[in-house]
Amino acid sequence: MQKKTIIIGVTGGSGGGKTSVSREILNHFPHSKIAMIEHDSYYKDQSHLTFEERVATNYDHPLAFDTDLMIEHIKELQAGRPVDIPIYDYTQHTRSSETYRQEPQDVFIVEGILVLEDERLRNLMDIKLFVDTDDDIRIIRRIKRDMEERGRSLDSIIEQYTSVVKPMYHQFIEPTKRYADIVIPEGVSNTVAIDLINTKIASILSEK
């Protein structure tokens, strides 16, 4: 009989610390079969659009993601079959031609701003976490990340945040908090919440 693969959803606003929380959980289980899948990997291919059209895409809207493919991949992994996950090119604003092979694991952390938005995706999850961080902290982190890692200008980051990121957070992301099993204020610095989650995962792994 196939052992059940545990799926943990981790969401929250951009720059809220969900990736740090996910990595903290991963690092706590270095010898276990646990891996992370990022919803950002499943941004839709936009190679048919001009560069200007790609830049103008609303990346914080549910329609920006190929969630159907992510759901299909998670089901394949749960069935014990490897999948080839897309790699997104942030400099070109489209999917690159490369993929990476993901082997089945005992636990998958499914991370992204909208992973609790789609009911079909939520229904695959055993544990749902919402990382709740103040807007001011999130914009500062986003500025730092996008300038250092994605080569964006300060003006473009602020424009994108005020016109798209913030309104989309309040329209689509924050409402998914009600689906979370655990809300983690202040993210990775909330060591009590992280310890509770790690204890729960450890008990699930010991049963497997």
Side-chain angles (χ1 to χ4, degrees):
M1 179 178 156
Q2 174 78 29
K3 290 180 181 175
K4 186 177 186 305
T5 303
I6 305 303
I7 308 294
I8 302 166
V10 181
T11 194
S14 174
K18 60 193 177 304
T19 304
S20 298
V21 167
S22 301
R23 295 201 187 287
E24 193 72 18
I25 296 169
L26 280 174
N27 293 339
H28 190 77
F29 299 97
H31 306 299
S32 302
K33 293 184 69 181
I34 179 170
M36 179 161 67
I37 301 175
E38 296 174 282
H39 203 188
D40 285 9
S41 299
Y42 292 87
Y43 275 127
K44 287 179 178 170
D45 180 62
Q46 301 200 110
S47 54
H48 60 290
L49 301 176
T50 66
F51 186 78
E52 288 70 25
E53 287 172 323
R54 293 181 219 161
V55 171
T57 297
N58 179 351
Y59 291 98
D60 292 66
H61 193 284
L63 293 177
F65 296 90
D66 188 351
T67 303
D68 289 349
L69 181 61
M70 184 180 220
I71 291 166
E72 182 186 315
H73 279 179
I74 291 170
K75 287 179 175 176
E76 283 291 293
L77 290 163
Q78 286 179 314
R81 293 185 286 270
V83 297
D84 293 316
I85 294 179
I87 294 174
Y88 195 78
D89 184 339
Y90 290 98
T91 59
Q92 297 302 313
H93 299 276
T94 190
R95 204 176 276 182
S96 78
S97 57
E98 297 175 13
T99 59
Y100 74 90
R101 173 61 55 105
Q102 177 61 64
E103 298 292 336
Q105 305 289 326
D106 291 334
V107 180
F108 279 107
I109 298 169
V110 176
E111 182 262 359
I113 57 170
L114 287 165
V115 295
L116 297 188
E117 192 272 335
D118 191 304
E119 184 182 9
R120 299 168 304 157
L121 194 50
R122 288 199 304 273
N123 289 342
L124 296 174
M125 296 173 184
D126 301 278
I127 303 171
K128 298 180 285 291
L129 311 177
F130 190 101
V131 181
D132 198 14
T133 304
D134 188 77
D135 283 3
D136 294 346
I137 304 286
R138 293 192 297 103
I139 177 64
I140 291 165
R141 286 179 183 163
R142 189 181 173 101
I143 288 168
K144 194 168 186 297
R145 181 200 67 191
D146 282 6
M147 288 181 79
E148 290 176 1
E149 297 176 20
R150 299 181 182 176
R152 309 270 164 85
S153 69
L154 179 60
D155 286 349
S156 73
I157 298 163
I158 292 171
E159 160 62 23
Q160 188 183 26
Y161 184 83
T162 52
S163 64
V164 177
V165 177
K166 190 174 182 182
M168 291 299 100
Y169 174 78
H170 292 292
Q171 185 177 348
F172 292 112
I173 302 164
E174 192 174 41
T176 68
K177 195 189 293 185
R178 67 181 182 269
Y179 302 120
D181 300 309
I182 303 170
V183 176
I184 308 174
E186 304 310 323
V188 78
S189 60
N190 189 330
T191 53
V192 173
I194 303 290
D195 287 348
L196 285 169
I197 294 155
N198 285 339
T199 301
K200 174 65 176 172
I201 296 166
S203 72
I204 292 169
L205 285 170
S206 68
E207 288 167 14
K208 293 170 75 71

